[in-house]
Amino acid sequence: MLVRFAIDELYTEKKFENVTENTMVSYKAVLEPFHAFLEEKGIENIEYVTKRHIKEYLLHRQEKGNNATTVNNHHKYVNAFFRWLTEEKIVHENPVTGIKKQKEDIQIHVFTDEEVQQIISYFRRMNRREKTFYSIRDYNLFLTLISTGLRLSEAINLRWTDVNYDNGSLVVSKPKSRKQETVPLTERLMKELSLYQKHCEKKFHTSMDYIFVTSRNKPLTRNAVKCIFKRVASAMNFPNTRVSAHTCRHYYAKKFIENGGDISQLQKMLRHTNIATTQKYLHFFGNEVAEANEKYNALNNLDI
């Protein structure tokens, strides 16, 4: 079977499985350059792809400047592609089997309290100066992310019907599993969201669905949110911190641990399926907690 035809067959299969749009984008982001690489090698039929070709492709990604995490992501989706091909008996064996992933130098970039305060002050200044819909929306988006630990995909899919002001909760839909989970809201965040909602009602004069929208009342895209944080990054100039929606999630986890939150509770708050994922935060931020305990421990001021 031609490589191009095999890839298109996989796309059709994934659409039939009703996978999310983000998953489809991820498959295409890997399989399209993989196809281009095989074409350059003169390989037209999928049956002719060997383990050596897979290794060469992953090395090719590394030489193009991809870090270990990105290379491993290519490994993941190419492996899924060939696993499907073997299940469909299009190829006899999966050439990715046995190829190890690269070791990742995992680093969690997180805001400091001072940086978060600077970003909040930035949004407030923008709002006082411009009083635009964008400044109010971006301010509330940032507060929501650092106060709830939501993923970007979860935040842009929020609807006003998901907010329950009576019991202080938010219904979050997980795009991949399509499950819904409840996230608690603080009184401060509810107050800000309530004011933002009234502003939206005044602006649009129509029924509203999504919480974070464009000036035409259309839901924000992932790229739009990335552009928001890109503008913030340019204004802030934090050399050691990546300014992104996911960094807000890291910040939420860090503050939860620093303030004495239990790791199992954090797992529920972050909606991690595996607690091992949550424990990575404890590994990175545990030393800071220990230092704080040494500094503020109750025994420090006792005559013993």
Side-chain angles (χ1 to χ4, degrees):
M1 180 182 289
L2 291 174
V3 175
R4 177 74 270 167
F5 188 75
I7 291 175
D8 289 340
E9 282 285 289
L10 176 70
Y11 292 161
T12 301
E13 180 69 19
K14 292 303 173 183
K15 288 179 181 178
F16 175 75
E17 293 175 4
N18 197 28
V19 300
T20 65
E21 182 181 347
N22 289 338
T23 300
M24 287 299 300
V25 169
S26 297
Y27 269 106
K28 291 179 180 180
V30 170
L31 295 184
E32 293 307 315
F34 179 60
H35 178 218
F37 173 82
L38 294 178
E39 280 189 324
E40 290 180 3
K41 293 289 183 180
I43 302 171
E44 295 184 352
N45 293 334
I46 197 67
E47 296 90 343
Y48 297 156
V49 178
T50 66
K51 191 181 296 291
R52 178 174 60 82
H53 295 132
I54 302 297
K55 289 183 177 179
E56 287 179 353
Y57 173 68
L58 296 176
L59 180 61
H60 168 70
R61 299 311 311 177
Q62 181 179 329
E63 291 173 344
K64 286 182 69 69
N66 292 159
N67 59 28
T69 301
T70 303
V71 172
N72 287 340
N73 195 53
H74 281 261
H75 181 289
K76 170 185 173 181
Y77 284 100
V78 171
N79 184 41
F81 174 44
F82 277 98
R83 190 167 59 243
W84 174 78
L85 289 171
T86 56
E87 290 171 355
E88 294 294 315
K89 302 188 185 309
I90 297 173
V91 298
H92 294 299
E93 59 182 27
N94 181 354
V96 186
T97 301
I99 298 179
K100 296 181 179 180
K101 291 185 177 182
Q102 293 187 355
K103 291 184 178 180
E104 300 180 29
D105 182 18
I106 301 175
Q107 293 183 344
I108 296 181
H109 300 278
V110 64
F111 293 121
T112 64
D113 293 341
E114 292 76 14
E115 288 171 343
V116 167
Q117 191 59 61
Q118 286 183 50
I119 294 174
I120 290 174
S121 298
Y122 164 77
F123 283 128
R124 285 175 175 168
R125 287 196 306 273
M126 293 292 290
N127 189 30
R128 288 196 303 267
R129 187 182 310 148
E130 302 177 0
K131 295 184 179 179
T132 63
F133 165 71
Y134 303 106
S135 61
I136 300 173
R137 178 201 64 195
D138 297 350
Y139 171 68
N140 277 272
L141 173 62
F142 183 72
L143 290 185
T144 299
L145 290 171
I146 63 173
S147 179
T148 62
L150 292 183
R151 300 178 178 89
L152 172 55
S153 57
E154 294 169 338
I156 60 178
N157 283 300
L158 286 177
R159 290 172 165 83
W160 286 112
T161 52
D162 296 329
V163 182
N164 189 324
Y165 292 112
D166 293 330
N167 64 11
S169 66
L170 185 69
V171 176
V172 175
S173 299
K174 298 178 69 174
K176 287 187 177 181
S177 63
R178 293 181 173 83
K179 294 181 180 178
Q180 290 187 329
E181 297 186 34
T182 301
V183 174
L185 296 176
T186 64
E187 289 187 10
R188 291 187 65 181
L189 181 59
M190 285 193 293
K191 179 180 178 181
E192 295 290 348
L193 286 176
S194 178
L195 293 172
Y196 168 59
Q197 185 174 16
K198 292 176 182 176
H199 181 83
C200 290
E201 291 171 349
K202 184 177 179 180
K203 174 179 173 59
F204 296 118
H205 302 291
T206 183
S207 59
M208 298 180 304
D209 190 6
Y210 289 90
I211 294 179
F212 301 112
V213 294
T214 66
S215 59
R216 296 185 178 182
N217 202 15
K218 301 296 182 181
L220 284 181
T221 62
R222 294 178 65 91
N223 190 56
V225 176
K226 289 178 181 179
C227 287
I228 292 171
F229 279 96
K230 188 175 181 179
R231 289 194 296 271
V232 174
S234 298
M236 295 294 101
N237 189 28
F238 299 148
N240 300 318
T241 308
R242 180 189 176 199
V243 182
S244 70
H246 207 67
T247 308
C248 295
R249 183 170 168 85
H250 293 331
Y251 177 75
Y252 173 86
K254 177 185 177 182
K255 298 307 296 183
F256 193 93
I257 292 172
E258 283 184 350
N259 293 326
D262 180 75
I263 195 70
S264 61
Q265 292 175 333
L266 181 59
Q267 179 192 9
K268 294 177 182 178
M269 298 299 293
L270 294 177
R271 298 162 306 287
H272 285 155
T273 304
N274 192 334
I275 196 169
T277 305
T278 319
Q279 288 172 333
K280 291 180 181 178
Y281 288 107
L282 190 60
H283 170 72
F284 281 100
F285 305 137
N287 289 338
E288 296 181 29
V289 174
E291 291 172 4
N293 178 61
E294 181 69 26
K295 184 177 181 181
Y296 302 114
N297 195 277
L299 292 181
N300 290 349
N301 298 320
L302 297 178
D303 184 15
I304 57 175

